[in-house]
Amino acid sequence: MIRIVLVDDHPVVRAGLRALVDGQEDLSVVGEADGLDAAVAVVSADQPDVVLMDLSLGEGKAGGAAVTAALRDLPRPPEVLVLTTYDTESDILRALEAGARGYLLKDAPPEELFAGIRATARGETVLAPSVAATLVRRTTPGATTITEREVEVLELLSRGLGNKEMARELFVSEATVKSHLSHIYTKLGVDTRAGAVAAAIEQRIIRT
């Protein structure tokens, strides 16, 4: 029996997932959580094989990537399978770098979700097709790749921060911020801040 914990801030979503998953003979939901502290407590107590993790856990709360990193740091860490609506490059990279084993989207058919849980429990990597395509695009020789730091700059740009504010947020000099912006403009084929943000959203590098 594969033991599962659900981490999502919406009770209705958790209830729906529980009903789906518990309908499988070899899958059992043993706990639920809506944020970081609850997830650490439930996982520590129930020792699940797999955690189904949403990325957005409410305004002002730690996101799913941060919760994933905390769970992977536990003495007996579970495998984490992200199940979310977000498939931007920044979300994918953060989740996988935090230690998630796989990344599926909430519009996946139930059978794909069940297969993903079973594969994750075996230690296999599970990726939604659009997520796999994003990762392949990043590793294709000759492809124009936005670095993780440039993604951070784009996210700050989308919040309307100026060079000085971005330098403070990133703990770098304003000259470094300008250098990042120059590289971003070249890679995205734009020449304005607004153009860079629009292109990044269109190419699903950052969220709206």
Side-chain angles (χ1 to χ4, degrees):
M1 181 69 72
I2 298 173
R3 296 163 56 81
I4 301 154
V5 163
L6 309 176
V7 180
D8 194 296
D9 63 325
H10 294 104
V12 172
V13 173
R14 295 199 305 272
L17 283 172
R18 178 184 280 273
L20 269 177
V21 172
D22 279 345
Q24 300 297 296
E25 291 184 357
D26 60 333
L27 306 179
S28 176
V29 175
V30 297
E32 301 179 12
D34 62 358
L36 175 58
D37 293 341
V40 170
V42 170
V43 168
S44 298
D46 295 330
Q47 299 293 318
D49 303 297
V50 175
V51 172
L52 279 184
M53 179 73 64
D54 191 15
L55 288 185
S56 180
L57 298 175
E59 190 72 29
K61 298 172 65 176
V67 178
T68 295
L71 296 182
R72 294 296 297 163
D73 280 341
L74 292 174
R76 293 184 59 186
E79 297 289 1
V80 177
L81 175 58
V82 170
L83 183 65
T84 188
T85 57
Y86 303 111
D87 63 351
T88 65
E89 194 168 307
S90 59
D91 289 310
I92 295 166
L93 293 178
R94 280 202 190 93
L96 297 181
E97 287 166 2
R101 176 68 64 180
Y103 199 113
L104 294 178
L105 301 179
K106 286 183 176 178
D107 61 359
E111 290 304 322
E112 184 179 326
L113 172 61
F114 303 149
I117 293 172
R118 294 176 182 119
T120 300
R122 295 193 298 267
E124 300 172 10
T125 298
V126 180
L127 299 173
S130 64
V131 173
T134 295
L135 296 178
V136 167
R137 186 175 67 246
R138 285 185 62 83
T139 57
T140 300
T144 299
T145 302
I146 300 292
T147 67
E148 185 178 355
R149 177 60 92 181
E150 288 165 355
V151 170
E152 292 176 331
V153 171
L154 282 165
E155 289 179 329
L156 295 177
L157 266 184
S158 71
R159 288 164 45 191
L161 272 64
N163 289 359
K164 184 177 294 186
E165 291 82 6
M166 286 193 285
R168 190 179 305 119
E169 287 271 345
L170 299 172
F171 300 101
V172 298
S173 68
E174 286 188 59
T176 298
V177 169
K178 290 177 181 177
S179 176
H180 286 315
L181 288 173
S182 176
H183 292 150
I184 288 168
Y185 290 172
T186 299
K187 290 178 179 180
L188 295 181
V190 299
D191 54 13
T192 66
R193 291 169 177 257
V197 171
I201 291 172
E202 182 180 1
Q203 296 179 34
R204 305 194 69 77
I205 295 170
I206 61 173
R207 294 186 207 168
T208 53

